Amino acid sequence: MGLIKKLPYYSEKIPGGAIVLTSLEATLQFAQAKSLWYLLFGTACCAIELMCTGASRYDFDRLGMIFRASPRQSDLILAAGTITKKMAPRLRRLYDQMAEPRYVIAMGGCTVKGGPFYYDSYAVEKGIDHIVPVDIYIPGCPPRPESLMEGCLHLSEKIRRQKLSDWQEK
Amino acid sequence: MTRDQLKDYIGSKYASLMTPLDTGRFDPMFEVKADRLFEVSRALRDDENLKLDFLCNMHATDTRENFEIVYSIASITTKLRLDFKIVMPYQNAEIDSVQEVWPAANWYEREMWELFGINVKNHGNLKRFLLPDDWNQGHPMRKDWDAPDFVRMPEIQ
Ligand code: SF4
């Protein structure tokens, strides 16, 4: 009953057990928020911090975050690292290959607004929100694993609060 | 051969082609006329006492008046190193390819062509290399380059 206790539910006792009614929306969102598989998209130094978060000390897996090497199996792109103008179309393409519902976390100053390459750079894209819609921005250069995990928890919160009808609009 | 001997050797043998520069750098530095580049490169590589067969590095610099192209070469067998540079005017900058002498120059020259707009004669494969394939904003390593989304670092007081 652990799962059921966290959902809005109605339970009717019948002889030999009970019937539980709950809403599809709540169930789906609960499941989704707890198992965000992310597409590894580490393009620069932020990826090192992402790896650290995935390793045993911070243990990303306990949040249900498991990295995938294919966009078709992922719910989320964790864009960790500088996105250059040459890389931008590839990022967009990977995003397009993901199944709905899909989310994007911009990790690090580079993906938020160009970071240390904002000035005097001809090659770096000034923020990946020019390319894909971003759900969570995590500033920092690089953000600490704690910030990354907090960002992911915020994303879970966001998923919990959305409506089924939102899926269609994105 | 020591560095000073190398300087003297070049000074006596290639005096007409290479002018020594006093840069205070570790490796001896020479200046070469742009139209003698290929000749000098081949002579340095084929010289029995030098055997400078390895192009370590090659770079261009925009000094706002000129382009300076520096070739750093070394030898695997005689362990000698030296640099020479070419100074050329900003307008219609053009050099000879030294690929035939040092094949490693291929990518350096392509990069130079792409980022500085220095034309390379007899290169044979001048194609986009580092920039996006659909790039149409000119040569970004030039000091006077600008683009709509290019932000210059503000002066720090
Ligand atoms: S934000 Fe900083 S740490 Fe992250 S990719 Fe950019 S430069 Fe590297």
Side-chain angles (χ1 to χ4, degrees):
Chain A
M1 290 298 276
L3 168 69
I4 293 298
K5 282 212 186 96
K6 291 185 180 167
L7 295 172
Y9 73 103
Y10 169 78
S11 137
E12 168 100 33
K13 288 233 173 341
I14 54 166
I19 293 173
V20 173
L21 298 175
T22 181
S23 80
L24 173 66
E25 197 170 63
T27 319
L28 279 178
Q29 280 164 10
F30 183 84
Q32 231 193 335
K34 292 290 173 187
S35 78
L36 282 168
W37 289 6
Y38 60 96
L39 175 68
L40 260 191
F41 198 75
T43 42
C45 19
C46 271
I48 306 291
E49 209 71 359
L50 173 60
M51 287 174 228
C52 172
T53 317
S56 50
R57 176 179 278 262
Y58 291 96
D59 197 11
F60 223 6
D61 294 6
R62 69 200 152 94
L63 306 179
M65 315 273 301
I66 298 174
F67 71 84
R68 299 275 91 196
S70 159
R72 317 247 181 220
Q73 301 169 348
S74 337
D75 310 297
L76 162 68
I77 291 191
L78 245 170
T82 322
I83 302 294
T84 58
K85 288 188 177 140
K86 201 166 178 175
M87 195 57 159
R90 279 79 174 174
L91 175 64
R92 179 72 218 187
R93 184 160 170 187
L94 287 170
Y95 179 79
D96 288 341
Q97 284 176 344
M98 283 162 63
E100 301 260 8
R102 53 197 175 190
Y103 306 94
V104 177
I105 290 185
M107 175 184 181
C110 283
T111 47
V112 175
K113 194 71 184 134
F117 310 108
Y118 182 77
Y119 293 119
D120 283 350
S121 170
Y122 61 89
V124 174
E125 192 68 50
K126 295 181 175 50
I128 59 166
D129 41 11
H130 302 157
I131 312 160
V132 290
V134 178
D135 293 279
I136 304 284
Y137 296 89
I138 309 175
C141 183
R144 282 197 55 86
E146 289 89 341
S147 334
L148 177 58
M149 288 200 291
E150 189 180 353
C152 295
L153 293 176
H154 276 301
L155 181 61
S156 304
E157 272 306 301
K158 185 172 175 175
I159 293 173
R160 295 278 205 96
R161 268 192 249 114
Q162 74 187 1
K163 299 270 163 289
L164 266 188
S165 51
D166 294 348
W167 289 14
Q168 309 295 323
E169 285 162 16
K170 262 188 98 182
Chain B
M1 210 186 285
T2 64
R3 274 204 308 285
D4 294 329
Q5 284 168 336
L6 174 64
K7 267 189 204 164
D8 295 340
Y9 181 78
I10 300 251
S12 61
K13 192 159 178 196
Y14 300 105
S16 59
L17 295 173
M18 303 173 76
T19 328
L21 297 176
D22 191 18
T23 54
R25 289 162 47 118
F26 184 77
D27 295 329
M29 178 80 144
F30 300 89
E31 188 175 336
V32 174
K33 295 252 175 327
D35 49 346
R36 313 302 287 275
L37 168 65
F38 191 76
E39 198 182 327
V40 171
S41 311
R42 208 167 37 191
L44 290 177
R45 187 197 60 179
D46 293 342
D47 191 305
E48 271 308 304
N49 296 316
L50 300 178
K51 295 211 185 86
L52 292 160
D53 52 2
F54 180 49
L55 179 70
C56 314
N57 190 15
M58 168 178 169
H59 66 261
T61 315
D62 180 354
T63 61
R64 285 190 192 270
E65 285 129 32
N66 296 315
F67 283 123
E68 288 184 2
I69 302 167
V70 179
Y71 296 75
S72 307
I73 49 179
S75 166
I76 306 280
T77 41
T78 62
K79 309 276 189 279
L80 294 170
R81 298 172 60 98
L82 69 84
D83 297 350
F84 63 87
K85 76 173 174 189
I86 289 174
V87 181
M88 61 175 50
Y90 214 79
Q91 299 303 322
N92 303 324
E94 193 172 56
I95 52 163
D96 280 321
S97 172
V98 290
Q99 258 186 91
E100 253 176 67
V101 185
W102 301 295
N106 188 316
W107 279 16
Y108 290 127
E109 283 168 353
R110 232 168 117 185
E111 187 180 344
M112 212 163 63
W113 166 80
E114 183 174 34
L115 298 181
F116 283 96
I118 299 173
N119 192 28
V120 185
K121 279 186 283 187
N122 305 326
H123 185 280
N125 191 24
L126 285 181
K127 283 192 304 205
R128 279 252 170 275
F129 180 35
L130 296 171
L131 295 172
D133 298 333
D134 54 355
W135 182 267
N136 57 5
Q137 298 182 340
H139 310 293
M141 292 299 268
R142 289 191 176 198
K143 288 261 169 67
D144 59 359
W145 181 78
D146 209 356
D149 64 343
F150 182 68
V151 189
R152 265 190 206 291
M153 176 81 90
E155 289 293 325
I156 294 168
Q157 304 297 328

